[in-house]
Amino acid sequence: MTSLLQRVKSNMAIFAHRKARGMLDGEYCSVFRGRSLDFDDLRAYVPGDEVRDIDWKASARHGSPLVKRYMAVRRQTVILVTDTGRNMAAAAYSGETKKDIAVMALGVMGYLAHRHGDMAGLVCGDSGGTTSLPAKGGEAHLERLLRQVDSTATLDAAPSRIEDQLHHVARNVRGRNLLFVVADEVAANPAFGQLLRRLRAQHEVLWLTVRDAGLAPGEPLLQPEQALPDSYSVSGSHPLLAHLARDPAVAAAYATAVAERDAGRKAMLRQAGITEGEVDGTGGVMTALFALLERHRRAG
């Protein structure tokens, strides 16, 4: 059986030829900021910050409240959170299954944690239940986490509902950790937004969205003159008739619906103070994660 972690490490090695591995490591380290003797920098105060972290002298000079940030020196915990419902067994925009992209992204983040001496745990599941594997170190443990995701995200799984896994984290995960969430293109709603704000108040949260396949199966890989195969929705099991995909009115309505859903999700995450990235294939995972970590640092 091929090691999933070995695939992850091979992908990272290829990426390292194009971007310095140290840059990616640096972005990973910048996520963890905790109380220690190692002062890092100052940033603008935002609601929810500890009042005791305000640097009053610097704030007086600046004219608005500034808080101190510290580089954490203790071992950190990364909680990998992902959807293993049947939505993740569907096709992504690249034509690969979303599960394969999720495994690659979770593997890269988990391996970064391993290289830095941090521990990684997993919370995954669907609307039928949630599985939690405790945080530990080591490559064998990380392989087990990836196997759990790979083996459970199938077309026979229950429908996806990432909110259930996030509720599990909110109820059961103590301390301040890094939550790395890999999910489908979720729809926003007020209760979901409230849950995200609750999680962000306790944890650092990074969110990676796996992009859906286009309206036409295989899009954009197929040429306009090629025949389209019929497909079906894994969430509702209803057919998606191929000939409708080329109807301009259908395509326009679909594009509008996708844009509205994306805008709602982005606004919900932004209001919760959560940095989001997007990825549409395994080949783009490294670049997407690098950009996500960098945006999170800048938003700091």
Side-chain angles (χ1 to χ4, degrees), residues 125-201:
D126 50 39
S127 58
T130 297
T131 297
S132 177
L133 299 180
K136 297 180 182 178
E139 292 192 9
H141 175 67
L142 181 55
E143 178 72 23
R144 180 189 174 204
L145 303 188
L146 300 181
R147 288 285 171 197
Q148 177 69 27
V149 175
D150 185 64
S151 63
T152 54
T154 68
L155 293 174
D156 296 326
S160 296
R161 185 175 162 80
I162 191 65
E163 297 99 310
D164 289 355
Q165 285 67 64
L166 295 173
H167 273 295
H168 177 90
V169 172
R171 290 192 303 267
N172 298 288
V173 176
R174 299 292 176 257
R176 187 168 184 84
N177 308 286
L178 169 63
L179 306 185
F180 178 55
V181 185
V182 180
D184 197 7
E185 295 181 345
V186 299
N189 63 69
F192 199 170
Q194 183 177 14
L195 171 61
L196 293 176
R197 290 191 294 273
R198 176 184 172 187
L199 288 169
R200 180 62 184 87

Side-chain angles (χ1 to χ4, degrees), residues 126 233 280 285:
D126 50 39
S233 166
D280 57 18
V285 164

Side-chain angles (χ1 to χ4, degrees), residues 268-285:
M268 177 179 69
L269 291 168
R270 184 171 58 251
Q271 289 166 7
I274 294 173
T275 308
E276 182 196 18
E278 296 179 350
V279 64
D280 57 18
T282 55
V285 164

Side-chain angles (χ1 to χ4, degrees), residues 212-287:
D212 266 336
L215 179 61
E219 182 187 5
L221 304 179
L222 294 175
Q223 299 300 314
E225 67 275 7
Q226 289 181 279
L228 296 172
D230 286 336
S231 58
Y232 70 96
S233 166
V234 299
S235 59
S237 299
H238 49 271
L240 305 173
L241 301 180
H243 69 278
L244 294 177
R246 293 239 166 93
D247 183 288
V250 172
Y254 178 81
T256 298
V258 169
E260 291 176 350
R261 181 185 60 191
D262 285 352
R265 181 187 70 253
K266 291 178 185 299
M268 177 179 69
L269 291 168
R270 184 171 58 251
Q271 289 166 7
I274 294 173
T275 308
E276 182 196 18
E278 296 179 350
V279 64
D280 57 18
T282 55
V285 164
M286 294 296 296
T287 302

